Amino acid sequence: MRRALDLAAAIGAPGPATYPNPRVGCVLLGPDGSMIAEGYHRGPGTPHAEVDALAKAGEAARGATAVVTLEPCNHTGRTGPCSQALIEAGVARVVYAQSDPNPVAAGGAATLKQAGIEVEQGLYAAESRELNRVWTRAAELQRPYVTWKFATTLDGRSAAADGTSRWVSSRAARLDTHKLRALSDTMLVGTNTVAVDDPALTVRDLEDRVVGVQPLRVVMGERDLPDDRRIFDDQAPSLHLRTRDPRSALAALWERERRHVFLEGGPTLAAAFLEAGLVDEIVVYVAPFLLGAGRSAVADLGITTISDAFRPRVRSVDVLAPAAPGEEPNVRFILEPPQENQYRGEQ
Ligand code: AOF
Ligand code: ZN
């Protein structure tokens, strides 16, 4: 199973190239425990890990044990059901780590048992879940997982009084943001951010070149926008969702098979998502300077007393050393809002 997990991770980090699918690995063992074949999933439309391994094994799969990181699927999606493929190949035993949280594909274990195959679940289940942490949570919630990212000064300002907001965070923090963007399949902002800040919302490298498979750039809101905004350029796909409601925006993105939204909107959009219980993770870059006035990082949340404060758990806190001369270190927090406040989609 350790080997199967490594195979699953061979595809690299999750991101727009792997979503909406999980990373899955499979090892086929002979009755004597010897290795017959290995396989892993390379992204939507390509063979699932089990089928990848079975194809390499051929007749040798008869009587074998299949060790898989995820419960074999039971549905015909972009490809056929792995439960059937394992049965037809004559596999004798299936050991899998994580149960499939995707209701569309689940049920493979039961089908295998009915066919007389010995089935075991649970080995390295936590590791498999962690490998597909965001994908798993999105499947459970039946909506895209939402990471809200913002940059702030020490006094909680994300823009100066005149509206200027470029370069609140350091170059190191901005580079870090690009790495995190590349892990999601969707960038999301509101019409106000597009109208005022005109962000490109692409994934770029050190030299500011656009790199890799790009996340879908989404702007939500009813207001019309000029065509010349950078979000509508040809560097990456984009979409204008004409709604102001976070729930309906996420439902529309789920329909389009989006799994991980990176929310980079302004204070109003952030507050709307927080109040709706639609933020699953918060990434904050804190820059060590003061403004004293200006736009706050998040709009009014209706909290008037300290005991009502919104208190996420700290998953990590790191110092980002300066990447350019003359800059100061920034601090990055990764925070998790309480899960009981997180809303499910309506599927
Ligand atoms: C994968 N790779 O190796 C396994 C998966 O519609 P499809 O054919 O792309 O199927 C996707 C679903 O199949 C996925 O959400 C998961 O529930 C299940 N298992 N998926 O992409 C694999 N074993
Ligand atoms: Zn499958």
Side-chain angles (χ1 to χ4, degrees), residues 82-141:
C82 292
S83 52
Q84 284 309 323
L86 290 161
I87 293 166
E88 281 158 28
V91 165
R93 182 166 163 249
V94 173
V95 180
Y96 68 93
Q98 183 188 5
S99 295
D100 196 332
N102 173 10
V104 175
T111 300
L112 292 167
K113 280 181 202 158
Q114 272 161 24
I117 295 176
E118 193 188 321
V119 180
E120 266 176 61
Q121 188 266 329
L123 184 65
Y124 283 98
E127 285 78 1
S128 176
R129 188 190 163 93
E130 190 53 31
L131 183 76
N132 292 303
R133 183 180 67 86
V134 168
W135 179 86
T136 299
R137 192 70 189 129
E140 288 169 355
L141 293 165

Side-chain angles (χ1 to χ4, degrees), residues 148 150 274 279-284 310 312 333-337:
W148 169 40
F150 67 99
L274 282 172
V279 172
D280 305 298
E281 177 181 70
I282 307 173
V283 178
V284 193
F310 183 84
F333 282 95
I334 299 186
L335 310 168
E336 278 169 7

